[in-house]
Amino acid sequence: MTPSHPSAPPPPRSRRADARRSRASILEAALRLLNSQPDASVEAIATAAGVTRQTVYAHFPSREQLLTVALDQVTEETVAAMDASDLETGPAADALLRLLDAGSRTARRYPGLLQMTASLPVSAQADHARHAPVADRLRRVIERGQQAGEFDGRFSPDWLVAVTVKLGHAAAEEADAGRMSDEQAAEALHTTLLRALAAPARTAPAEATPPRVPG
């Protein structure tokens, strides 16, 4: 009788592929579950992903780190949607509104998850790094608008980016509180932002006074 031999372990490449699939499943489950159930436990996320609790911790040592990576995934989706909105075509004002609408559509898919950001213990540096890709795209469009004379060139692009972000947050807060519909908030944001960024009206030069001839 031929002796039986234990099956050989899978090769390293197969193990790496399995690990990537497990990580992707965990992250997908976290996005879905935390968005609808912000208090969802690691055990619940593991069950939804079809893995063990130990497997989740092997990829994400803490629930906070899993939430951080999930939020990073939302940022990546937001940036991809913005890039797909064709930021280099047409007037900068139109491109800016397309960019904001693309970001809003992504945010509306994750309302519960995004509300958790305030309770996430992250440093100011980490928070800045997460939002940097969005700010960079805003800055590019705003600089293009300033160069074309569409936007106010008296202020730095960074200041106008900050104004844009604050107005966007204000519109989102009004919609989340039920004081505005999503459509009303978007219209208010568009109108207010374009007024805030608009280049000052050019005044007609004063007519030259003809020289007085002494006599």
Side-chain angles (χ1 to χ4, degrees):
M1 179 180 294
T2 304
S4 60
H5 296 281
S7 58
R13 181 177 298 177
S14 177
R15 291 199 298 271
R16 288 195 296 270
D18 289 344
R20 286 195 296 270
R21 283 192 292 269
S22 292
R23 189 180 190 279
S25 296
I26 295 166
L27 185 55
E28 190 276 333
L31 285 167
R32 184 178 69 253
L33 207 58
L34 291 172
N35 189 44
S36 59
Q37 304 173 37
D39 295 329
S41 65
V42 171
E43 289 83 355
I45 294 170
T47 299
V51 300
T52 66
R53 182 172 178 270
Q54 289 74 17
T55 300
V56 174
Y57 282 121
H59 291 283
F60 306 98
S62 68
R63 185 178 183 277
E64 288 74 20
Q65 185 175 4
L66 176 56
L67 175 57
T68 298
V69 176
L71 290 171
D72 289 342
Q73 176 68 28
V74 174
T75 299
E76 290 178 12
E77 292 184 24
T78 301
V79 170
M82 289 178 170
D83 288 343
S85 63
D86 198 7
L87 303 181
E88 303 301 328
T89 300
D94 292 346
L96 181 61
L97 298 187
R98 289 197 303 271
L99 184 154
L100 294 174
D101 288 345
S104 295
R105 286 193 297 271
T106 304
R108 283 198 293 269
R109 293 204 299 270
Y110 302 103
L113 190 61
L114 292 176
Q115 287 177 4
M116 300 173 66
T117 57
S119 61
L120 189 64
V122 296
S123 66
Q125 184 178 5
D127 187 65
H128 175 78
R130 176 180 298 127
H131 292 93
V134 172
D136 288 344
R137 282 152 180 79
L138 286 170
R139 187 178 297 103
R140 274 168 34 200
V141 176
I142 287 172
E143 287 177 342
R144 182 161 73 85
Q146 288 181 312
Q147 292 168 2
E150 295 180 60
F151 298 153
D152 199 329
R154 296 172 300 173
F155 305 110
S156 73
D158 286 340
W159 168 250
L160 297 185
V161 168
V163 169
T164 302
V165 171
K166 293 295 185 182
L167 285 173
H169 286 168
E173 289 168 5
E174 291 299 297
D176 290 343
R179 291 186 289 267
M180 285 183 170
S181 67
D182 288 341
E183 292 75 16
Q184 290 171 331
E187 181 179 2
L189 172 61
H190 290 180
T191 302
T192 306
L193 181 61
L194 292 183
R195 287 175 180 171
L197 268 60
R202 296 180 180 177
T203 57
E207 294 184 4
T209 303
R212 297 179 61 86
V213 179

